[in-house]
Amino acid sequence: MRRGDPSPDGKGRLQIQRGIEVGHVFYLGSLYSDKLGAAYLDESGQSRSIQMGCYGIGVTRLLGASIEQNHDERGIIWPDAIAPFEVVICPINYQQSVPVRDQAERLYEQLCAAGLDVLLDDRGERPGAMFADAELIGIPHRVTVGERGLKLDQLEYTSRRALQPAMIPLADSVPFVCGRIVR
């Protein structure tokens, strides 16, 4: 078959497209049916071993396919539904600023209570390092908590896909972030 040939149903023309194999099928023959004594009688009444096969979706294949389709120069961009964490909270000066630490921990608890998978980056790293690590591992949503924003009752939200930060009202942060998650 070649590009442009009639399709099997005769309703169109074939096209060549790239694909990713995530499923698999294995012919097992009678390997297990012989061991289990699984047989049937054929048309002539003879006992025959059942011919077996198995099929499934490879979890590791799915992960590889997802990464292949969802990445950029900064790293992975996990779809929300399979991300190890849906949201990362990046507190600026976490160990030096009590208001930042308190708000980051409060937000963490609220987002977890809302059913989200959340990572609180409490390592005390500089913002660039926290952001780069979160982007590299592909956490799809980031909330930055900093003293400047808290003075304005705001947090910074960034989608891993867009990387365009938006300031959101502190009071609306949980419903705002929850509303961005696609499962």
Side-chain angles (χ1 to χ4, degrees):
M1 293 189 171
R2 294 186 186 136
R3 176 184 306 209
D5 284 352
S7 63
D9 64 5
K11 296 180 181 178
R13 298 280 175 192
L14 294 180
Q15 295 181 21
I16 305 299
Q17 300 288 329
R18 289 192 54 167
I20 301 173
E21 181 181 344
V22 295
H24 50 256
V25 178
F26 296 109
Y27 175 64
L28 301 172
S30 63
L31 177 68
Y32 297 107
S33 57
D34 288 342
K35 292 177 183 177
L36 295 171
Y40 68 97
L41 297 178
D42 67 11
E43 300 88 15
S44 64
Q46 292 285 332
S47 179
R48 304 274 184 204
S49 295
I50 294 173
Q51 299 298 300
M52 298 175 67
C54 67
Y55 62 93
I57 294 177
V59 174
T60 55
R61 292 179 185 193
L62 283 175
L63 295 175
S66 181
I67 292 168
E68 183 177 323
Q69 297 297 308
N70 298 281
H71 71 280
D72 62 15
E73 65 280 353
R74 290 181 173 93
I76 302 167
I77 306 173
W78 289 113
D80 294 350
I82 63 172
F85 296 100
E86 294 161 310
V87 180
V88 59
I89 300 171
C90 294
I92 309 302
N93 293 323
Y94 179 81
Q95 292 163 353
Q96 291 84 16
S97 173
V98 173
V100 166
R101 183 172 47 252
D102 289 349
Q103 182 55 51
E105 291 173 358
R106 187 169 29 258
L107 181 62
Y108 173 82
E109 290 170 6
Q110 292 170 333
L111 291 172
C112 287
L116 301 184
D117 292 318
V118 185
L119 175 65
L120 173 59
D121 189 340
D122 59 0
R123 300 175 298 160
E125 292 287 339
R126 297 181 57 88
M130 285 191 288
F131 299 166
D133 289 346
E135 290 169 1
L136 181 64
I137 62 175
I139 301 174
H141 306 276
R142 180 178 79 217
V143 178
T144 305
V145 180
E147 286 183 345
R148 241 183 286 155
L150 289 179
K151 288 177 185 173
L152 300 171
D153 287 327
Q154 294 182 330
L155 301 174
E156 182 182 282
Y157 166 81
T158 307
S159 165
R160 176 67 181 85
R161 291 198 183 278
L163 293 175
Q164 296 296 321
M167 297 307 289
I168 56 173
L170 185 58
D172 299 336
S173 59
V174 173
F176 180 92
V177 172
C178 289
R180 299 299 178 275
I181 307 297
V182 178
R183 292 186 170 159

